[in-house]
Amino acid sequence: MITLHHAPQSRSFRILWFLHEAGLDHEVRYHSFGGKGLRDPEFLKISPAGRVPVLAVDGLTLFESGAILEYLAETRAPALARAPGHPERGKFLEWLHYGETLAQHLAQLTFHHIVLKPADRSPVVQKLEALRLRRALEGIEAALEGDWLLADFSAADIMTGTSADLARRFVPLDGLDRVQAWLGRLTDRPAYHQARAADGPAELYLKDFYHA
Ligand SMILES: N[C@@H](CCC(=O)N[C@@H](CS)C(=O)NCC(=O)O)C(=O)O
């Protein structure tokens, strides 16, 4: 059995979504950012920084969402990967890992809008990180030629699409017509809806939009 360590509204949604796309049987262990579970010594043995996702699969416990998606796609759903030698291999790796370019700004924005006490939040960081996130989304706008990041849907759309979906809470997408249409296609997928239904109760993002 595949076991996903997951927290609602987090990067582990990428894995949850993939598991539904690939139709893989799995169980979910829910964690909360509010509790001490992620700092539990037992959890730190499988996640050195105390982060989600962690995936138990094939007798391994894997951390890092990009690595987990690569592993799962390669071993369970080759159509969602681009194997070494495939002409799209390089682009696949680039767009898969681009999700973390978006996520670094999302993490800062989450701290400075939500996690930190109001007195410790910086309007400068809020504005700067929203701008940098917008620029990273413009990179996707410029690259999108068809329906997906590559010629067909792949794990790269799941990885980077999860972060772009969250980015909408911090950055208006006006003028990013291709990104908006891509997000529409992604969020129309049945597996996206199945994963959302399994995500668990929202704890972090309670507003639709956070103004800088
Ligand atoms: N690069 C890692 C980042 C993992 C990460 O930072 N996860 C966040 C949730 S989005 C987390 O677990 N944060 C808990 C904490 O910082 O205490 C990945 O992609 O898996």
Side-chain angles (χ1 to χ4, degrees), residues 38-176:
L38 299 181
R39 300 290 171 268
D40 186 292
E42 285 306 307
F43 187 69
L44 292 174
K45 284 184 192 163
I46 57 170
S47 178
R51 308 286 168 89
V52 289
V54 171
L55 192 79
V57 60
D58 296 341
L60 304 166
T61 49
L62 300 174
F63 51 87
E64 287 295 329
S65 58
I68 295 169
L69 287 184
E70 278 187 63
Y71 184 91
L72 279 180
E74 286 168 13
T75 61
R76 304 295 200 285
L80 298 181
R82 300 294 182 271
H86 190 289
E88 289 187 319
R89 172 68 173 176
K91 286 282 161 225
F92 172 69
L93 293 175
E94 282 179 347
W95 287 114
L96 185 89
H97 292 280
Y98 200 77
E100 282 298 285
T101 293
L102 302 185
Q104 64 180 316
H105 304 305
L106 291 166
Q108 287 300 316
L109 288 162
T110 302
F111 270 97
H112 284 272
H113 280 281
I114 297 163
V115 177
L116 294 174
K117 284 183 267 173
D120 294 333
R121 295 176 191 169
S122 161
V124 174
V125 173
Q126 289 175 353
K127 282 197 179 66
L128 181 67
E129 290 295 309
L131 190 65
R132 283 162 61 73
L133 180 57
R134 165 86 193 193
R135 291 214 178 111
L137 293 168
E138 286 168 2
I140 301 176
E141 178 75 14
L144 271 172
E145 290 175 351
D147 286 353
W148 311 110
L149 291 170
L150 307 179
D152 206 350
F153 179 75
S154 74
D157 293 293
I158 295 177
M159 176 88 178
T160 294
T162 298
S163 293
D165 190 23
L166 177 57
R168 294 195 269 200
R169 293 189 192 256
F170 297 104
V171 174
L173 297 189
D174 54 291
L176 302 183

